[in-house]
Amino acid sequence: LGLSSAKLETVAKGVEALANAKDPVGQLLEKRELSPGLILEKRSASLGVVLVIFEARPEALPQIAALALRAGCAVVMKGGSEARLSNAVLHATIKDAITEFGNADLDGAVSLLEGRAQVAQLLKACDEAPTPLVDLVVPRGSNALVKHVQNSTRVPVLGHADGVCHVYVDKSADAQKAVSIVVDSKCDYPAACNAMETLLFHEDAACAKACVDALRAKGVELLGTPRALSKGLADAPVTEPERHEYGCLKCRVDVVDSVDAAVAHVNRHSSGHTDCVVSEDTSIAERFLRQVDSADVFHNASTRFADGFRFGLGAELGIATGRIHARGPVGVAGFLTYKWLLRSAASHAVADFASGV
């Protein structure tokens, strides 16, 4: 697969931003004095070895490698087979740069696997090894890929299996803003995991027709519930389940009675990726932001902003919808953990303190 000059320039800017950023390893996170002369610190530390399985996007390889190196980690990568040749060239370029400008001993810090069989062998070896060979697996790509990896190893897995994102248009929404946000969320890149898949309207949203007409003009197929169809907000009945990722110019349309109903719908059917409220009523917006339990929750902003580069992270390891270790667009933090350091200026023993376990 090709890598355009514009895309390569964007990748280079992200890598440069990481290179110029403060070293994330060893940063002081907490500090407390447990007793006179006994100081406890919590500092960031490299996670270790990370296996990243990513889709056929050549630009992903230098981004992932740069994030790992910035965090002091080793990374093993497996890209989509369609980008095999491009990935091989990019990998060789990175290894040459490490040797020329870094440390030749780090030559193996960035590795590239060529096939699924090698991934399976590595995961099998990880499960059989007495000590960890890989500390984290990050699968990027289809729902099937993520679930397959999650079911294939005991190594912790960071990722998301679906990108079912919602936009709720409240009755207080500004029509111009609503149209812009809805169209961008669905049409900017329909196949992306942060694209809108379900459009919710308040029963009294005056701009609903303007929003669906704008989507129709962009070629979006509107699949509606009976309530949406009865109001002329959809073109055909929806047959897919509420939690469905279309990944194309299709979206589900539904109507709700209130922001509380919208929140309940989102929390029940969202994949926990990114959800948005369009409203001019601050109290309504804040209720949605606080009560929706997703990794990214936006007010009057397209769901397409859920991206590591747009978040200013320099690059993105992936999107995480879980609650452990990292959540949302994951940058350098995805390659970091922490450690506790305890220093005594004298000699401290637990027996010198009050009795306890």
Side-chain angles (χ1 to χ4, degrees):
L1 293 179
L3 187 59
S4 69
S5 57
K7 180 67 73 172
L8 189 60
E9 184 177 351
T10 299
V11 172
K13 287 180 179 178
V15 173
E16 287 175 358
L18 286 170
N20 294 328
K22 188 176 182 180
D23 188 351
V25 179
Q27 292 297 311
L28 181 64
L29 305 176
E30 292 183 34
K31 184 176 181 179
R32 65 187 67 168
E33 187 174 28
L34 303 182
S35 180
L38 187 61
I39 307 298
L40 178 67
E41 292 182 349
K42 179 182 179 182
R43 290 188 177 270
S44 58
S46 297
L47 188 60
V49 180
V50 180
L51 168 62
V52 184
I53 306 166
F54 58 96
E55 66 276 33
R57 291 173 52 194
E59 69 270 19
L61 188 146
Q63 292 176 336
I64 294 166
L67 285 167
L69 292 172
R70 175 73 280 185
C73 287
V75 63
V76 181
M77 297 178 288
K78 162 63 177 73
S81 58
E82 299 87 347
R84 179 174 56 85
L85 297 178
S86 298
N87 285 337
V89 172
L90 290 167
H91 177 240
T93 301
I94 291 169
K95 288 176 71 71
D96 289 344
I98 291 173
T99 301
E100 182 176 353
F101 300 103
N103 188 329
D105 293 335
L106 298 177
D107 181 65
V110 178
S111 302
L112 181 66
L113 303 181
E114 294 187 357
R116 296 178 182 177
Q118 289 183 317
V119 173
Q121 290 171 1
L122 178 56
L123 292 177
K124 184 174 184 294
C126 289
D127 289 342
E128 295 175 350
T131 57
L133 301 177
V134 170
D135 298 286
L136 182 70
V137 182
V138 183
R140 297 173 27 152
S142 68
N143 182 307
L145 168 65
V146 176
K147 288 186 175 179
H148 172 72
V149 173
Q150 289 172 333
N151 295 329
S152 300
T153 182
R154 293 197 297 270
V155 178
V157 176
L158 177 72
H160 73 281
D162 298 288
V164 183
C165 303
H166 293 67
V167 173
Y168 165 60
V169 180
D170 186 59
K171 65 179 179 180
S172 66
D174 176 87
Q176 186 174 354
K177 292 179 184 178
V179 168
S180 173
I181 291 165
V182 165
V183 170
D184 189 79
S185 293
K186 179 72 251 185
C187 304
D188 180 67
Y189 187 7
C193 62
N194 57 11
M196 179 188 72
E197 301 293 5
T198 295
L199 175 58
L200 298 176
F201 289 110
H202 187 282
E203 169 69 23
D204 299 323
C207 60
K209 186 177 185 303
C211 289
V212 296
D213 285 347
L215 289 173
R216 288 178 178 125
K218 292 289 186 177
V220 178
E221 184 178 353
L222 303 174
L223 306 173
T225 62
R227 196 170 178 182
L229 288 167
S230 69
K231 296 174 77 66
L233 301 178
D235 305 317
V238 63
T239 56
E240 295 80 11
E242 286 88 347
R243 182 169 173 166
H244 183 77
E245 185 174 8
Y246 293 98
C248 61
L249 287 175
K250 292 183 180 181
C251 81
R252 181 187 187 92
V253 183
D254 204 350
V255 178
V256 294
D257 293 324
S258 66
V259 64
D260 293 326
V263 168
H265 185 287
V266 171
N267 284 338
R268 188 179 306 116
H269 304 300
S270 168
S271 62
H273 190 301
T274 302
D275 299 292
C276 163
V277 55
V278 184
S279 174
E280 293 303 296
D281 187 327
T282 303
S283 64
I284 292 293
E286 288 302 315
R287 189 184 309 175
F288 188 94
L289 292 174
R290 289 195 306 269
Q291 295 183 4
V292 167
D293 185 22
S294 295
D296 306 301
V297 189
F298 299 162
H299 174 211
N300 286 354
S302 168
T303 58
R304 290 281 292 129
F305 274 102
D307 175 82
F309 182 76
R310 297 192 183 281
F311 274 22
L313 304 181
E316 180 184 284
L317 173 60
I319 301 283
T321 55
R323 293 172 175 79
I324 298 176
H325 174 57
R327 199 177 189 199
V330 181
V332 172
F335 286 100
L336 295 173
T337 182
Y338 59 82
K339 61 194 296 186
W340 295 97
L341 306 177
L342 184 63
R343 296 184 177 91
S344 172
S347 175
H348 286 85
V350 170
D352 298 332
F353 297 80
S355 60
V357 177

